[in-house]
Amino acid sequence: MLATLRRIIETVDKAPSLDAALSVLVREVKQAIGADVCSVYLTDPERREHVLMAADGLPADAVGRVRIPLHRGLIGRTAERADIVNLDDATTHPNYLAITGSGEEPLHAFLGVPIIQHRKVLGVLVLRQRAPRRFADEEVTFVVTLAVQLAAAIALARSTGELVGLPPDPGLPARYLEGIAAAPGVGTGTGFVVYPPADLDAVPDKPAADPDAEIELFRTAVAGVAADIARLGARMGGALRDEDQALFEAWRLMLESESFVADTIERIRAGNWAQGALRDTVAELLAEFDRIDDPYLRERGADVRDLGRQVLLRLQRGAPATTAYPEQTLLVGDEISAMQIAAVPRGSLAGIVSRRGSASSHVAILARGMGVPAALGVLELPVSRLEGRSMIVDGYRGRVYMQPSAAVTAEYRRLAAEERAFSAELEALRNLPAETTDGFALPLYLNTGLVLEQRPLGMDESAGVGLYRTELPFMVSDRFPGEEAQLRNYRRVLETFAPRPVTIRTLDVGGDKQLPYFPVTESNPFLGWRGIRITRDHPEIFMTQVRAMLRAAIGLDNLQLLLPMITSVDELDDALTLIQRACDELAAEGHPVRLPPVGAMVEVPAAVYQADLLARRMSFLSVGTNDLTQYLLAVDRNNARVAALYDEFHPAVLRALMQVVEGARAYGREVSVCGELAGDPRATPLLLGMGVHSLSMGAGSLLRVKGVLRSISRTRAKEVLGRALLCETGACVRRLCMEMLEEIGLGGLVRPGR
Ligand code: PEP
Ligand code: MG
C-alpha cells in the first residue's frame, strides 16, 4: 500500500492542473481501496455549500451539479467536525442525506475525510461502498495522507484563481500568497523566473514568441541527443550483451516516438515554448509509465526522465546567451541566489519572491541592503506559472499578488506614495548626529559587501563599515580570488570610507552561502563546516585573504579584522597566530603593514558563555544576532516552516546579549551588534540600554534607527530594557518596544506585519 500511496502522491503532485489531479486521485484511490465510489467535494463558503468536484463511480454529470448545503448530510458533518466519519451503514445515520440523481442512494458504507489546510476545512474526500462495512484503519490513514497532500494543491489553485466554479477564499479577498516579509517596500512589475539548469520540474511556462523557431530548436535538440546515443551505443558495442545493446535502440525509438516528438510539437503550437512543452510531455509520459503494473516496465519511466533531461540540456545550451530582463523585474524562483540577483541590471530589479528562504537568509539581507522589496518563503508559489505575469510584492507583509486587480494596484500606489512621504521625513535626519536626547552618541555603522557597488548606499550617513561580508566577491567569481584581486576589492572599500573604520570579516562560507567552485554537501550545513572552521582547515585560503587585507590598508590604517563563527578560544589563538605571521611575512617582503585591531563575532552560544575569554584576546566583539538567534533557538534561519519561531526578541537572545556586554566590560572591550536586530528600530532602546557601543546595519535602516535614537534618552532606554527583561516571551518584548515607539510618535517606522 505504501508504494501505491507514494505513486498516487507523485502523480497528483505532477498533474498539470487541479482538475487533472482530482480525477487521477479519485480513480486511483477507488481502485486501491476497492471501493464503489470515490469523490471529492470542495467547500464554497460564499454560497454555503459543498460542491462535487470529481468522482469515480458516480454518473459523469453529477460533477459540478451535486451541491450539498454547508451543514447538511454526512459531508456537512465531516466538514463541520473537521474529523473523520467512518460508518458501516450511513443510511441509518440521522445526518444521512439521500442525494437525488447522484447515484449514491444504494451505498451503505461511508468514509468522509476532511481536507484541511492551516486548520481550515477546504473540502471532504469521500469513499462509499455498496455493502455495509467499516473501513479498516490502514485504509483510513491511506485516505488521510492523500487528503493532506490534496489540501496543498487546492489551496494553491484557489490563490492563483485556477479553481473555476469556486470563488477565491473569502479569507483572502484580494487573492495573494503569503510568505515572509524579508525586505521592506513594495515592488510592482513583471515576473521573471530563474531556475537551475537541467531541472525539468523547474522549467517555467513561457509563451513561444516564434513557434516555428521553437519547433526547430526542439528538433535540433532531439537529433543531437539521438546522435549522442548512437555514438555511445557504437562505443560500448563490443562490451555489451545483445539484450543490453538493445537498450540503445529502445532509447532511440522512445526519443523519436510520436508521443515524445509529436506531442511536444503540438504543445509548442498550442503556445508554450519548447522547454515548457518538453516538461509537460515528459510529465505525461511518466504518469503513463507509473500506471503500468509490471515493475520492470514501470522502471523504464526513469529512462524517459533521463532522455527529457538530456534534450532540455541541449535546449538550454542553445538558448540565446543574453537575457532580456523586463523593465521592472520581479525575480521569481524556487530559491534565488546572490548571483541571480547580481545579474539583473541595477535599476531594473523591482522585487524578489521565492519559495524558499526567510527574513534572516542572506538573500534577504542582500535585498534589504539594496533597498529591494522581498517576500521569501512563499511556500505555495507556483513558480513555473509566473513568467511574464504582472505581480506585486509587498515586502512589509510578505505578500505576493498575481495579476492584481485595479483596486489592489491602486491601494499599493497609495502605500508607495505614503512611503515616499515618510522617507522625506526621515531625510530631514540626514547629517544630524546619531545621539540620544541627553547627548549620548551611539555610532551607527553600515553592513555592506556588494562588490559591484561603487558608492554603497548609506555611505555618507554611516560612521564607517561595521561589517563587510567578503563572501559575495567570492561567490561571483569562478574560483577562489587571488591576493591581487582581493587586494583591489578591499582597497576600494577602505579608500571609499577612509578615515572612517572599515571592519572586514574573513570568509564566512558554508551554511547557506555556497561557493560554486567549492561545493560542500552536508546533511546539516549550519552545524557543519562553515566560517572559521573552513579557513582554519585551509590556512592557504585564510592567509591569502589576510595578506590582501593588510596590504590594502597600507597608508590608510582604517582596517579592522573580524573572525566569524567562533566557538572556542583555540580558533582565535590559531587565527591570531596566522594573522601575525601574515603581517611578519609582508613586513619581511618590504610592505609597511601594521597589525590591525582584530575582533571576534559572537554568534554561537558557546561564545556567549566565554565572551570574557574572547574579549581578553581580542580588540573588540561583534554580535551576529542572525546566527545567534538561530543557534540559541534551534531554528534554521532559512526554513520558512519554522520562520515564526525565529524570534530575535526572544528573552533568551536579550539575556545572551547582556552577558556578552558584561563579559567584554570585564576587559574594557567594546561590543558592536551587527546582526539584523541592530537595524530594527524596535530594538534600539534595548541595545542602547544594555550599553552596546555601536550598531551596524543595512543602509535602509540607518535613518530609521537614528530617528529613534534622537527621540529618547539613555535613562529612558534603560527603563525600557528593565521592563523587557521581565518579559517571558518574545511577543511581550516586541509589544513593549512597539508601545515605546508609538509613544515617541515613531510607530510608522515599523509597518504592520513586521
Ligand atoms: C549574523 O549572523 O548575525 C551576521 C551578521 O552574519 P551573517 O548574517 O553574515 O551570517
Ligand atoms: Mg553570521
Side-chain angles (χ1 to χ4, degrees):
M1 208 141 194
L2 187 62
T4 318
L5 184 65
R6 199 174 297 145
R7 185 166 53 79
I8 301 179
I9 288 178
E10 266 178 28
T11 321
V12 166
D13 229 22
K14 292 201 191 92
S17 65
L18 181 67
D19 268 351
L22 291 181
S23 2
V24 173
L25 184 102
V26 289
R27 189 182 63 228
E28 299 273 342
V29 174
K30 175 175 166 259
Q31 196 186 356
I33 305 248
D36 294 315
V37 174
C38 177
S39 49
V40 174
Y41 288 83
L42 292 193
T43 308
D44 182 343
E46 202 106 300
R47 296 213 186 105
R48 305 185 55 75
E49 57 193 16
H50 305 283
V51 187
L52 181 65
M53 297 296 288
D56 192 349
L58 293 180
D61 69 339
V63 170
R65 185 173 52 77
V66 172
R67 287 162 184 263
I68 299 171
L70 205 56
H71 300 297
R72 300 280 313 278
L74 290 168
I75 309 289
R77 185 175 165 77
T78 311
E80 195 173 28
R81 296 176 65 230
D83 200 1
I84 298 154
V85 175
N86 187 359
L87 302 170
D88 42 10
D89 189 357
T91 58
T92 60
H93 194 280
N95 282 74
Y96 179 70
L97 194 68
I99 303 156
T100 334
S102 72
E104 289 194 22
E105 289 91 337
L107 302 160
H108 287 277
F110 175 96
L111 174 66
V113 173
I115 303 169
I116 302 178
Q117 172 87 337
H118 299 317
R119 288 182 230 149
K120 204 147 122 214
V121 177
L122 305 179
V124 180
L125 182 52
V126 183
L127 279 175
R128 308 294 310 268
Q129 191 112 35
R130 261 178 210 99
R133 76 150 171 129
R134 214 177 165 74
F135 288 93
D137 269 2
E138 63 173 47
E139 292 171 324
V140 175
T141 49
F142 179 87
V143 179
V144 168
T145 313
L146 287 169
V148 170
Q149 192 70 16
L150 196 54
I154 294 169
L156 171 63
R158 267 200 175 161
S159 57
T160 57
E162 183 202 313
L163 194 55
V164 282
L166 282 177
D169 190 319
L172 314 173
R175 261 198 228 140
Y176 58 80
L177 293 178
E178 203 136 15
I180 293 155
V186 171
T188 309
T190 309
F192 184 92
V193 178
V194 288
Y195 52 96
D199 181 352
L200 272 167
D201 296 331
V203 167
D205 282 333
K206 267 191 203 185
D210 178 353
D212 288 335
E214 286 292 309
I215 291 171
E216 198 42 46
L217 274 177
F218 173 66
R219 284 193 191 283
T220 314
V222 169
V225 175
D228 287 347
I229 292 173
R231 247 195 317 276
L232 202 62
R235 195 172 339 134
M236 309 273 291
L240 292 177
R241 291 174 304 168
D242 280 357
E243 60 262 42
D244 292 333
Q245 184 67 37
L247 260 184
F248 289 92
E249 183 56 14
W251 285 336
R252 195 184 57 76
L253 287 176
M254 204 184 278
L255 194 61
E256 289 169 2
S257 70
E258 187 80 350
S259 51
F260 193 85
V261 178
D263 284 7
T264 306
I265 289 179
E266 200 175 303
R267 287 190 165 95
I268 297 174
R269 288 208 200 286
N272 212 346
W273 67 324
Q275 296 187 30
L278 173 71
R279 178 203 62 205
D280 288 349
T281 300
V282 172
E284 190 177 293
L285 286 170
L286 284 177
E288 276 169 24
F289 272 93
D290 271 349
R291 280 197 286 278
I292 298 175
D293 282 333
D294 180 330
Y296 174 78
L297 285 178
R298 201 168 52 235
E299 280 305 306
R300 301 279 61 78
D303 294 343
V304 173
R305 173 166 277 281
D306 195 39
L307 287 175
R309 209 178 288 135
Q310 289 185 47
V311 176
L312 179 69
L313 251 180
R314 284 192 164 258
L315 279 175
Q316 289 177 337
R317 261 193 247 137
T322 51
T323 316
Y325 290 95
E327 214 167 286
Q328 294 283 94
T329 296
L330 284 180
L331 218 49
V332 176
D334 195 45
E335 192 164 25
I336 289 176
S337 70
M339 266 178 285
Q340 286 163 335
I341 293 175
V344 185
R346 266 244 149 139
S348 297
L349 186 57
I352 299 170
V353 185
S354 73
R355 198 155 16 196
R356 292 202 227 159
S358 73
S360 42
S361 57
H362 286 95
V363 165
I365 292 170
L366 187 59
R368 284 196 289 270
M370 294 169 76
V372 175
L376 307 183
V378 188
L379 293 173
E380 287 157 4
L381 196 70
V383 175
S384 66
R385 287 181 234 157
L386 294 179
E387 180 73 22
R389 283 245 215 159
S390 129
M391 295 168 66
I392 293 178
V393 48
D394 175 347
Y396 294 115
R397 298 184 183 89
R399 290 180 184 171
V400 182
Y401 295 80
M402 287 149 299
Q403 309 284 40
S405 65
V408 171
T409 310
E411 175 59 20
Y412 275 100
R413 286 225 175 93
R414 195 187 56 73
L415 193 65
E418 233 177 56
E419 172 88 338
R420 278 194 295 277
F422 191 69
S423 303
E425 265 175 50
L426 283 177
E427 280 305 307
L429 296 173
R430 247 182 231 294
N431 304 322
L432 295 178
E435 59 181 31
T436 57
T437 52
D438 50 345
F440 179 80
L442 182 68
L444 306 183
Y445 288 86
L446 186 64
N447 286 354
T448 183
L450 258 188
V451 67
L452 309 164
E453 53 193 353
Q454 292 295 330
R455 237 186 107 76
L457 284 170
M459 79 157 267
D460 296 326
E461 222 10 67
S462 62
V465 174
L467 173 64
Y468 183 83
R469 292 182 167 97
T470 54
E471 297 76 63
L472 279 165
F474 276 72
M475 282 178 188
V476 294
S477 171
D478 58 2
R479 71 198 73 170
F480 281 106
E483 187 174 316
E484 296 303 321
Q486 291 192 52
L487 168 83
R488 279 194 297 277
N489 190 14
Y490 305 146
R491 180 79 190 175
R492 199 169 66 212
V493 63
L494 288 166
E495 259 172 358
T496 306
F497 282 87
R500 291 172 283 175
V502 172
T503 306
I504 305 187
R505 184 173 72 182
T506 62
L507 192 61
D508 183 26
V509 286
D512 65 339
K513 289 177 286 192
Q514 291 285 339
L515 298 179
Y517 46 88
F518 186 65
V520 179
T521 313
E522 293 172 309
S523 57
N524 218 339
F526 275 113
L527 299 185
W529 207 37
R530 79 165 278 214
I532 195 81
R533 300 173 184 182
I534 293 186
T535 44
R536 195 180 183 208
D537 289 350
H538 279 282
E540 76 285 14
I541 296 174
F542 188 76
M543 286 292 275
T544 306
Q545 190 175 31
V546 172
R547 283 175 57 98
M549 289 181 194
L550 298 179
R551 283 178 60 200
I554 293 173
L556 296 171
D557 291 329
N558 57 343
L559 168 71
Q560 305 203 97
L561 219 145
L562 184 58
L563 305 168
M565 271 297 286
I566 296 297
T567 342
S568 74
V569 292
D570 304 332
E571 288 165 343
L572 284 187
D573 292 340
D574 282 359
L576 288 172
T577 307
L578 287 180
I579 294 167
Q580 184 64 57
R581 197 205 298 163
C583 206
D584 294 346
E585 276 176 17
L586 285 167
E589 289 165 26
H591 298 287
V593 290
R594 287 221 206 134
L595 197 64
V598 183
M601 284 200 77
V602 178
E603 43 186 355
V604 176
V608 172
Y609 293 109
Q610 290 196 304
D612 51 345
L613 301 183
L614 306 188
R616 199 175 75 202
R617 288 166 166 80
M618 312 307 285
S619 307
F620 63 98
L621 298 183
S622 187
V623 187
T625 47
N626 308 338
D627 277 315
L628 187 57
T629 305
Q630 130 164 302
Y631 293 126
L632 275 176
L633 306 185
V635 176
D636 177 349
R637 60 195 269 194
N638 281 317
N639 184 341
R641 252 186 216 105
V642 287
L645 300 176
Y646 183 95
D647 187 359
E648 290 167 305
F649 287 88
H650 193 294
V653 177
L654 296 194
R655 289 182 190 200
L657 279 160
M658 298 282 293
Q659 185 152 342
V660 175
V661 175
E662 257 168 51
R665 193 176 290 137
Y667 291 92
R669 302 289 191 261
E670 295 203 343
V671 174
S672 161
V673 175
C674 66
E676 293 302 296
L677 187 69
D680 189 324
R682 290 171 298 184
T684 311
L686 304 178
L687 300 173
L688 176 67
M690 284 176 196
V692 162
H693 299 87
S694 63
L695 303 176
S696 192
M697 62 200 73
S701 296
L702 285 168
L703 290 178
R704 290 167 195 263
V705 171
K706 194 201 275 190
V708 179
L709 206 55
R710 295 186 54 84
S711 308
I712 52 166
S713 66
R714 252 217 309 178
T715 323
R716 180 75 204 285
K718 284 189 178 142
E719 227 173 75
V720 178
L721 174 68
R723 278 168 50 216
L725 288 171
L726 296 177
C727 278
E728 295 184 3
T729 64
C732 164
V733 178
R734 261 177 282 122
R735 200 169 42 246
L736 212 124
C737 295
M738 201 58 221
E739 277 167 17
M740 198 268 333
L741 282 189
E742 299 286 358
E743 267 170 47
I744 57 173
L746 291 176
L749 284 174
V750 184
R751 293 261 174 194
R754 287 201 72 207

